[in-house]
Each structure stands twice: as structure tokens, then as C-alpha cells.
Amino acid sequence: TRLNREVAVKFLYLRPHADQPSKDRLNHEAKLLASVNHPSVASVYGLEEADTVCGIVMEYVPGDGLDIRLKQGRLAPLEALRIALGVARALEAVHERGLIHLDLKPSNVMLDLHRGRVRVRVADFGIAINLATHSSQGGFSGTPSYASPEQLMMEGPPHPSQDLWSIGVMLVECLTSRRPYVATSL
């Protein structure tokens, strides 16, 4: 309200002394996202904390997620390609900063209608990593149906190609209304 503009807030309720790891992850996400300046990546305006709540204040992206659009059925090939290219452009900027998203899926791709054209915006960097500072923590993170085989099998260090695999899975889903495979857990 101080700047009189619409924003989105990803917030976390904190329990005293119990949620420090969650708070650290939110801080990490905000810093990673703030390091990327690209029109297809939602901008971060601030990281706020008050009493028992902390949150990332970010650009409000009007429109729906790709997941909502896919509920209406498969996309025309040109529309699917434009969305995939928009996500790829965002990832190019993300990867140039040494970051990997690791959880690309339709609900993390926002479709913003801007001047009669759909703009793609990538959001939710909750499990993203910075390759320069990443240390293996073990265990799988992400959404199994969109994760690359290497990510699912936890083989080798994270790599930008894992995000590219996710784009391919989303493109197949856009064109066919089905994911190439469905996995709900490991």
C-alpha cells in the first residue's frame, strides 16, 4: 500500500523457534529471484517480516497459471510453442545467473494477457538453487511428473538440462492434454 500498486505476497506463518528452516528457504528464494531481471520472470520488490509472518513481496501477474489454461483442453500448436519459448527465454536468463529452477510445471508458469498478447512469466523459485553455492543435500525435490530422469534418480549434481526436460514435458502436455508419464511420488 505504501507504493500504491498491486503486488503478490508469498507468505509464511512462523511458529516461534520452530520455523527457522522454512524462513531460511523463503529468504533464499527471495534472494535468488531478486538476482534475475527478465520480463518473463516475476520481479521481487521486497522481503518483509512482521510478528509471526514473513513474506516475499513480488510483482502481481494478472492472469492464470498454465495449469488453469490446460483444464480447458490442449493448446493450438502455435500457442503451445509461444508458451514454451517464453519459458525457455526466462530460463536462459535464470541459467545465465547460475540458477536452476528445479520445479517447472504448469502451475509455476503464469500467462499474463498484455496488450492483446499472452506474456509468459515463470514463478515460484522455492526449491531453485544457485550452482555456485549449492551443496548436495540429498533427497529429491520437485514435482515427479515434470522432473528429469536424473533428477528423479538423484544421479549427479543438478544441471540446467533438468529445467529443459521440464519444458519438454510441459510442451507435450500443452499439445496432447496429457503428460508423457504420471508420477505422484518416488
Side-chain angles (χ1 to χ4, degrees), residues 31-135:
K31 289 176 183 174
L32 287 181
L33 193 52
S35 74
V36 179
N37 182 14
H38 190 274
S40 293
V41 177
S43 298
V44 169
Y45 298 143
L47 183 62
E48 303 292 332
E49 185 173 347
D51 299 324
T52 61
V53 178
C54 67
I56 302 172
V57 180
M58 63 187 97
E59 173 183 14
Y60 171 72
V61 179
D64 290 323
L66 178 57
D67 59 327
I68 302 301
R69 172 59 187 85
L70 287 172
K71 288 180 181 177
Q72 299 168 16
R74 66 185 181 159
L75 281 58
L78 188 55
E79 182 183 10
L81 183 58
R82 283 185 180 139
I83 290 170
L85 285 173
V87 174
R89 286 184 186 113
L91 285 181
E92 181 179 35
V94 168
H95 293 164
E96 284 176 356
R97 301 290 302 165
L99 310 177
I100 305 175
H101 191 285
L102 292 175
D103 197 22
L104 282 171
K105 56 187 174 186
S107 62
N108 290 341
V109 175
M110 300 299 296
L111 304 177
D112 170 15
L113 187 60
H114 179 74
R115 296 182 184 162
R117 293 191 61 187
V118 173
R119 287 192 315 184
V120 173
R121 309 301 275 286
V122 175
D124 198 347
F125 283 69
I127 65 168
I129 62 163
N130 183 329
L131 288 172
T133 60
H134 175 71
S135 60

Side-chain angles (χ1 to χ4, degrees), residues 2 9 14 25 92 94 129 139 143 146 156 185:
R2 287 181 280 186
V9 180
L14 301 171
R25 279 193 303 277
E92 181 179 35
V94 168
I129 62 163
T143 303
Y146 297 93
S185 65

Side-chain angles (χ1 to χ4, degrees), residues 101-103 127 139-143 146-155 162-163 165-166 186:
H101 191 285
L102 292 175
D103 197 22
I127 65 168
F140 171 79
S141 293
T143 303
Y146 297 93
S148 70
E150 306 84 45
Q151 191 177 350
L152 285 168
M153 303 304 272
M154 296 172 273
E155 293 177 355
Q162 294 169 334
D163 285 345
W165 174 276
S166 300
L186 294 178

